[in-house]
Amino acid sequence: MNPIFSSLPLSPELLQNLESLGYTQMTPIQAQALPSILDGKDVIAQARTGSGKTAAFGLGLISRLDLEAEGVQALVLCPTRELADQIARELRRLARCIPNIKLLTLCGGMPLWPQVASLEHPPQIIVGTPGRVLEHLAKDTLQLDALKTLVLDEADRMLDMGFGDAIRDVIKKTPKARQTLLFSATYPDDIRSISRSVQRSPVTITIEAQAEDVEIEQLFFEADPARNKIDALAALLLTHPSESAVIFCNTRIDCQDVTEQLSRRGFSVIALHGDLEQRDREEALVRFANGSYRLLVATDVAARGLDVKDLPAVINYELPSDADIYVHRIGRTGRAGSTGLALSLCSPREIGRAQVIEKALGVSLNWQPLKVESARQETPPPAKMITLCVDGGRKEKVRPGDILGALTGDAGLAGTDVGKINTFDLRTYVAINRKMADKALARLNAGQIKGRNFRVRKLV
């Protein structure tokens, strides 16, 4: 049994809030990292997505805040805006028991000047991407003289995306007497190098992400070189149907190509990669997570902001060359005690990659036959939900409860017909049972939300 949070030197307010959130026992990364983090030590930790690392560094940086002091005291750098938003939501939940804490996200793809205005009264906590944070530092709209805690999250992906120089330039603007926490899914030489240059005698923590730890059934299928690999993928999806699945590709071009070809075959599928505009990326994440698409085709970097609980399956359209990346991919399924499914297509030229994965896992790979011809008779099932977009969000004080009230009141829908509601600054997305979507759209456009008229449209 893992240790409990009450065994840590946390404030009564934090412990009470953790209990209200249902956090009692610590995950392995929390149990190993938190004592050192709370003690003010530098930490370098290897842990996969879903391990609870955000709460580990979040509780640490919140505990070190001085609410009487001015200036930015904690900075979290991460690779994508989606991940920054996810981290910010979790930190706000962890800190909701403490009054007057201000948190700000600083990411690219958003207007600069509203951020400048928010920085005139500096928050205690900033979560952001390296490029945008460095931009504010260069314009002198952000100062980090009072920084106590620096967190580098998903450090391997930040380096993969070319943020290495920006990270170092940001760190030059911080006090030397800071605490630095580095979290990474993998430990390549570049990560060890950056740790040596920015950390002081860090405590090293490794949470092994072995297949047997996470209840994942792993099946491998050899793709016939004489056939189109998309045919093999379509057969795989039809013979192993799943309510939802993430399909991983190694490049943006393959990601878009796979999405288009699956769509032509009738699959409910959407793409997520770095070439998409920010709004399109947001909508892709929202619509997959709320059940409006069954399949998400993604690159590793783009998927870093994906936050989908109970993901039934992960599919490798292409095997990664790094075994750690393979383990990181499949670790998105089989969480919270549920059994996951990882399916991998392997062309003859990828056999060497499969052997690297087999050696790293220390188990024989489970190879299965794939019947492409018989699967062609099957029809892909549609998604259960459809997303409606309301042109009103947090800036208009629109809350999820307002949308739900309008749908179950004026529109007359049952609460079970309404799915996830995601509110952004200027827009709100709401998932509706496919059979009720047209009725909900008509009623919302004809009626009011919170006593006001908002344009509502169906995303197709």
Side-chain angles (χ1 to χ4, degrees):
M1 181 178 293
N2 291 328
I4 56 177
F5 283 101
S6 58
S7 64
L8 296 171
L10 295 171
S11 70
E13 293 83 6
L14 275 176
L15 288 173
Q16 186 176 359
N17 186 44
L18 288 170
E19 185 177 352
S20 72
L21 292 171
Y23 290 9
T24 51
Q25 292 185 6
M26 289 184 267
T27 65
I29 185 63
Q30 293 162 357
Q32 293 191 40
L34 263 169
S36 296
I37 292 174
L38 292 172
D39 201 29
K41 297 177 181 176
D42 285 4
V43 169
I44 177 171
Q46 181 179 12
R48 66 183 180 92
T49 297
S51 61
K53 57 188 172 66
T54 304
F57 67 70
L59 289 170
L61 67 86
I62 291 168
S63 294
R64 299 193 75 202
L65 294 179
D66 179 357
L67 299 180
E68 301 297 323
E70 295 184 354
V72 178
Q73 299 178 48
L75 171 64
V76 182
L77 293 180
C78 58
T80 66
R81 180 185 168 191
E82 291 83 8
L83 184 57
D85 288 340
Q86 182 181 326
I87 291 169
R89 285 196 301 271
E90 178 68 4
L91 293 182
R92 286 189 176 100
R93 291 175 73 228
L94 293 172
R96 66 184 184 183
C97 60
I98 303 174
N100 302 321
I101 285 186
K102 183 181 176 184
L103 185 151
L104 181 65
T105 56
L106 297 179
C107 302
M110 296 293 291
L112 185 72
W113 293 110
Q115 297 176 352
V116 171
S118 296
L119 286 167
E120 289 180 359
H121 301 284
Q124 293 99 343
I125 305 170
I126 285 177
V127 182
T129 50
R132 179 51 62 93
V133 169
L134 186 60
E135 190 174 357
H136 280 289
L137 288 169
K139 291 180 178 296
D140 206 29
T141 51
L142 170 65
Q143 290 80 37
L144 297 176
D145 300 340
L147 193 75
K148 293 183 175 183
T149 306
L150 171 67
V151 181
L152 306 179
D153 192 24
E154 307 277 17
D156 52 347
R157 286 302 161 212
M158 286 197 286
L159 295 185
D160 286 347
M161 294 170 71
F163 283 138
D165 289 342
I167 291 170
R168 291 181 175 89
D169 287 343
V170 169
I171 291 173
K172 289 176 184 177
K173 301 287 188 177
T174 65
K176 290 186 177 180
R178 64 174 189 274
Q179 180 185 37
T180 306
L181 310 176
L182 191 156
F183 291 82
S184 180
T186 59
Y187 267 1
D189 290 341
D190 286 349
I191 291 296
R192 299 182 189 279
S193 174
I194 203 167
S195 171
R196 286 194 295 270
S197 65
V198 305
Q199 293 188 297
R200 298 169 298 173
S201 304
V203 176
T204 301
I205 296 167
T206 301
I207 304 298
E208 297 294 341
Q210 299 298 329
E212 60 268 21
D213 294 335
V214 289
E215 292 296 320
I216 300 171
E217 183 182 12
Q218 300 173 74
L219 303 178
F220 285 75
F221 304 83
E222 188 168 355
D224 187 339
R227 294 182 181 275
N228 189 330
K229 197 174 183 182
I230 289 290
D231 290 337
L233 177 60
L236 197 64
L237 292 167
L238 292 169
T239 54
H240 294 78
S242 175
E243 195 67 36
S244 64
V246 175
I247 302 169
F248 280 102
C249 295
N250 292 340
T251 69
R252 299 175 183 179
I253 293 173
D254 285 341
C255 181
Q256 192 62 42
D257 182 57
V258 167
T259 302
E260 291 171 359
Q261 294 205 50
L262 286 179
S263 182
R264 285 198 290 268
R265 286 165 167 80
F267 287 92
S268 170
V269 59
I270 195 167
L272 182 68
H273 55 75
D275 282 345
L276 296 175
E277 294 293 331
Q278 185 61 42
R279 179 164 174 171
D280 293 332
R281 293 171 68 190
E282 281 180 355
E283 289 191 354
L285 285 165
V286 166
R287 295 170 75 184
F288 176 67
N290 72 16
S292 295
Y293 282 98
R294 298 178 71 96
L295 304 173
L296 179 76
V297 184
T299 57
D300 291 292
V301 169
R304 284 294 166 126
L306 183 63
D307 183 22
V308 180
K309 294 178 174 61
D310 302 324
L311 181 66
V314 166
I315 299 169
N316 291 297
Y317 176 71
E318 299 165 301
L319 290 178
S321 56
D322 190 314
D324 281 344
I325 294 176
Y326 169 82
V327 172
H328 193 64
R329 284 181 180 181
I330 71 171
R332 295 179 175 277
T333 184
R335 296 186 188 176
S338 60
T339 300
L341 179 65
L343 309 174
S344 298
L345 282 174
C346 181
S347 63
R349 66 180 178 82
E350 294 176 290
I351 291 296
R353 295 179 180 183
Q355 292 170 343
V356 169
I357 291 168
E358 184 173 53
K359 182 178 179 181
L361 294 179
V363 294
S364 297
L365 302 184
N366 186 354
W367 292 93
Q368 297 286 319
L370 182 59
K371 298 177 181 179
V372 176
E373 294 297 336
S374 60
R376 285 180 174 168
Q377 310 304 316
E378 303 289 332
T379 301
K384 288 186 175 181
M385 311 299 278
I386 282 181
T387 298
L388 303 183
C389 179
V390 181
D391 284 348
R394 285 193 288 256
K395 289 196 174 180
E396 288 85 8
K397 309 297 183 183
V398 174
R399 300 170 302 176
D402 301 323
I403 304 289
L404 183 61
L407 287 167
T408 57
D410 296 341
L413 271 69
T416 52
D417 289 327
V418 184
K420 289 186 178 180
I421 301 175
N422 299 90
T423 306
F424 294 83
D425 283 347
L426 302 176
R427 301 177 308 282
T428 299
Y429 299 99
V430 53
I432 304 292
N433 185 302
R434 177 172 292 272
K435 297 177 182 178
M436 304 299 294
D438 288 337
K439 177 183 177 182
L441 178 63
R443 292 291 183 89
L444 284 180
N445 274 322
Q448 292 186 323
I449 300 170
K450 206 173 183 181
R452 296 171 60 190
N453 293 314
F454 291 94
R455 177 174 173 245
V456 185
R457 65 191 188 280
K458 181 166 61 175
L459 299 183
V460 294

